[in-house]
Amino acid sequence: MLETRLYLISPKFAKDQPLNYLNITSQFISNPLYAYLAVYDGNLSELLAKKKIKDQTVSNFLVSLIDDEQDRGRIPSKKMLHYLLGGTEFINDFALNRFEPFEGGARLAGTALFRDGKYTGVNLNDEDTMLANLMDGAPGKMQLIIGKADGKNYSVLVQNAKRNYDIIHDGSKLRKIGISLKLEVKLVEEGLTVQKRTNKKLAKLETKIAADIAVKTAAVIATLQKVNCDYLQLGHETAAFHPNLYKGINWREQYPQLQIKPAVKVKILNSGILE
């Protein structure tokens, strides 16, 4: 294969400024700029020694897993091009897709969080990765969200997603950052049913689902702040639109304590399922 499609790094290597070492790969004739970069949380030698996984080469199998989840909008889509040419960007925090051993092969298992180009040792699971991706501006691509509202299970498929940031300040001091996430969804019939469809009942259901998703997104933000990983690049957003405000901020110090509030609105498109 003349072109490398995937680079795997171990958690140990990921904790040692991996981008500094990977910069040299830009000189390879195999042109890795459009290859994926991911963490493998297992024995790399054992994985690469396998001839096949489910009748595919190891490379084809792993790349197909990433391709499929990217098509669904559930995982970050950035490739080596981003990390090699933009690895020293404004705030060098990001998330890499993470593989782990599974049933003689491997599976995607969320993302590994990086701060200042180093692996924090903390991961987001599959659902948290998807929600972080939506808060990062991913479009609606049939992402499946499962939860509980009013003590009943629900499943929704995201059809459209819009995200906005609201930087609230008093001129000299940053007060809060709001994250507005508007989701148009299709409700999958799974416990949340209404005997008679009415606009009032539909609105109530949308509010309850939105409240549950808001709790989930708030938990993701809490994890990011705990490890001081500005994966959503909120610091960059602040500097871009409020440069004078940002100059007076020690972002790395203030970010973990900053009030970051997600607000979720849900619109159910297939209201007929409630009949």
Side-chain angles (χ1 to χ4, degrees), residues 4-157:
T4 304
R5 295 184 296 160
L6 172 65
Y7 283 89
L8 290 176
I9 59 177
S10 68
K12 182 178 180 180
F13 180 67
K15 291 181 179 180
D16 187 26
Q17 292 283 4
L19 297 182
N20 291 344
Y21 299 99
L22 291 169
N23 280 333
I24 195 173
T25 61
S26 61
Q27 304 173 25
F28 293 173
I29 194 171
S30 60
N31 184 13
L33 294 182
Y34 293 96
Y36 295 119
L37 177 62
V39 172
Y40 180 65
D41 205 349
N43 189 312
L44 265 174
S45 297
E46 289 182 5
L47 176 68
L48 299 178
K50 296 179 183 294
K51 293 183 178 179
K52 288 188 176 183
I53 300 176
K54 295 185 178 180
D55 296 324
Q56 297 184 66
T57 65
V58 173
S59 175
N60 285 343
F61 177 78
L62 297 178
V63 169
S64 68
L65 289 180
I66 293 179
D67 284 341
D68 289 346
E69 290 301 281
Q70 275 193 180
D71 287 344
R72 296 184 179 97
R74 295 180 60 86
I75 63 174
S77 59
K78 294 168 184 173
K79 299 189 178 183
M80 284 284 283
L81 177 70
H82 169 78
Y83 300 109
L84 293 182
L85 302 185
T88 56
E89 68 180 28
F90 191 78
I91 295 174
N92 194 17
D93 294 357
F94 51 89
L96 286 185
N97 292 312
R98 174 177 171 269
F99 287 99
E100 66 180 11
F102 180 69
E103 294 183 349
R107 66 179 176 185
L108 279 168
T111 44
L113 297 177
F114 284 69
R115 178 184 63 248
D116 285 335
K118 292 182 179 180
Y119 179 36
T120 63
V122 174
N123 309 313
L124 296 180
N125 63 26
D126 289 332
E127 181 182 61
D128 288 348
T129 294
M130 175 190 62
L131 293 171
N133 207 34
L134 286 169
M135 287 190 285
D136 196 32
K141 288 187 175 182
M142 299 292 283
Q143 295 97 325
L144 176 65
I145 301 177
I146 298 173
K148 279 193 173 184
D150 233 7
K152 298 178 181 178
N153 296 326
Y154 72 84
S155 300
V156 295
L157 290 169

